[in-house]
Amino acid sequence: MARKVPRSICLFLDFDSTLTKNDTLSALATHVGYARNSNNNVPPWSHFYESYTNHKRDLDEVYADKPSQTRMENAIAYQRRLRIVEEASHQRVMNAGIFNDITVKDVEKGAWTALESQDVELRDGAIDLMKSISMLDANTTQSPVERMVAILSVNWSAEWIRQILTAATDSHFLMTHSIVVEANELPRLGGTWPNLCTSDQKLHVMQEYCKGRSEYLKVYIGDSLTDVECLLDADVGVMIRDEPLRSGQRALKELLQDARRAVPHVSEWRTRLPSTSNQLFWTYTLKEVESLLREYVHFLPTETGS
């Protein structure tokens, strides 16, 4: 017999330009790397950015026209090949010594200064969303809602992400709300790189977390092509958009349009039920995502025993 019970949930969030308003890699370099090694005559960050874009442009030309593949197939193949470009960029930066001798204390200080200077800004509703989902229960039913919240990011430092969230909230935020951070880590902080730098690697990590949780509502929130495989694998995928659209957001929107995937605004979620098979939405604000997920978790019917 089917009755409505709350759904347990696995919530996965991208970090850069999803939880934050902008990409934070340059802020990591400025407030941690250059702050620590400003006297070592390292090249400016623009030098590394130019090298990265030139290398990426070469890859763009290779994948510019693949008539034997759909646009979606071509985009996913391209994203997976980006690993070569990302690894080369990381190696150039490491060889230049920008992050030599950094410590966790340097990252902690850098996170504070990045937020104070507004070089890093969290999106409105980011913290409330994570708190809300991590604390979600079903007070009106006898069935508790199990939940898992994980940040999946291609950012170069998981410690940077943790320190940003800690500085924006409190020192117990991540532990209190059992929020996991899956990202790369800088060698000086004990990391091996890369662990996460392409869309298929993010998908692999998400699927590993979901093993043994087939009944959970799997939700992914992202903003760009690096998120496309996770968005398409989730029960509910939500795309963050700005006005006007940024280049990565526009590319993702156009790719899904080409694949004839309907992507309504989150306010139209009820029209997408009862199906839970990869529903895609878009939103301008994470506050709307919180409302969507709260209703989704409690609205969807789940098969239970009689």
Side-chain angles (χ1 to χ4, degrees), residues 85-145:
V85 179
E86 299 293 342
E87 287 179 344
S89 178
H90 182 269
Q91 194 60 54
R92 283 191 292 269
V93 172
M94 294 304 112
N95 289 343
I98 291 177
F99 292 103
N100 281 358
D101 303 319
I102 64 166
T103 65
V104 171
K105 280 293 184 183
D106 292 325
V107 181
E108 180 183 1
K109 180 180 178 181
W112 278 99
T113 59
L115 287 167
E116 288 175 350
S117 65
Q118 297 186 322
D119 285 345
V120 173
E121 295 182 85
L122 294 176
R123 286 187 182 273
D124 290 342
I127 298 300
D128 289 340
L129 171 63
M130 288 185 285
K131 284 182 178 180
S132 174
I133 299 304
S134 68
M135 296 170 63
L136 192 62
D137 59 24
N139 293 326
T140 59
T141 76
Q142 295 179 348
S143 303
V145 178

Side-chain angles (χ1 to χ4, degrees), residues 1-74:
M1 179 178 179
R3 65 182 177 88
K4 290 180 183 177
V5 300
R7 293 284 302 275
S8 295
I9 184 171
C10 290
L11 173 62
F12 300 94
L13 305 117
D14 177 46
F15 181 70
D16 289 283
S17 300
T18 295
L19 288 177
T20 64
K21 293 182 178 180
N22 296 291
D23 186 88
T24 70
L25 182 56
S26 62
L28 169 62
T30 298
H31 293 276
V32 179
Y34 285 100
R36 176 71 173 183
N37 297 288
S38 59
N39 297 323
N40 292 356
N41 297 317
V42 293
W45 188 249
S46 58
H47 164 79
F48 301 101
Y49 181 76
E50 183 178 357
S51 297
Y52 173 81
T53 54
N54 288 339
H55 193 175
K56 187 171 177 289
R57 190 178 299 116
D58 294 338
L59 188 66
D60 291 345
E61 293 174 359
V62 172
Y63 283 88
D65 185 21
K66 293 277 186 178
S68 62
Q69 295 181 315
T70 66
R71 186 175 178 184
M72 181 66 73
E73 290 171 335
N74 194 41

Side-chain angles (χ1 to χ4, degrees), residues 228-268:
V228 66
E229 294 193 69
C230 288
L231 287 165
L232 292 174
D233 187 72
D235 297 316
V236 179
V238 182
M239 280 143 279
I240 298 296
R241 293 179 181 174
D242 292 296
E243 183 60 48
L245 289 174
R246 301 184 186 189
S247 59
Q249 296 169 349
R250 183 180 301 106
L252 180 58
K253 178 182 179 180
E254 292 174 352
L255 178 64
L256 292 169
Q257 287 177 334
D258 184 77
R260 300 181 183 275
R261 290 300 308 270
V263 185
H265 184 261
V266 292
S267 62
E268 300 178 38

Side-chain angles (χ1 to χ4, degrees), residues 151 162 165-166 170-179 181:
I151 296 170
R162 286 190 286 266
L165 294 176
T166 296
D170 60 70
S171 59
H172 303 293
F173 173 71
L174 295 172
M175 183 179 297
T176 299
H177 299 287
S178 302
I179 297 170
V181 178

Side-chain angles (χ1 to χ4, degrees), residues 234-306:
D235 297 316
V236 179
V238 182
M239 280 143 279
I240 298 296
R241 293 179 181 174
D242 292 296
E243 183 60 48
L245 289 174
R246 301 184 186 189
S247 59
Q249 296 169 349
R250 183 180 301 106
L252 180 58
K253 178 182 179 180
E254 292 174 352
L255 178 64
L256 292 169
Q257 287 177 334
D258 184 77
R260 300 181 183 275
R261 290 300 308 270
V263 185
H265 184 261
V266 292
S267 62
E268 300 178 38
W269 73 272
R270 285 182 181 271
T271 67
R272 311 293 289 174
L273 295 177
S275 172
T276 60
S277 176
N278 190 226
Q279 299 301 306
L280 298 175
F281 301 96
W282 70 269
T283 183
Y284 287 133
T285 169
L286 291 170
K287 292 181 179 179
E288 291 180 322
V289 177
E290 179 186 347
S291 299
L292 164 77
L293 295 183
R294 276 189 168 277
E295 295 207 54
Y296 239 112
V297 164
H298 289 87
F299 186 89
L300 292 175
T302 299
E303 291 292 329
T304 65
S306 58

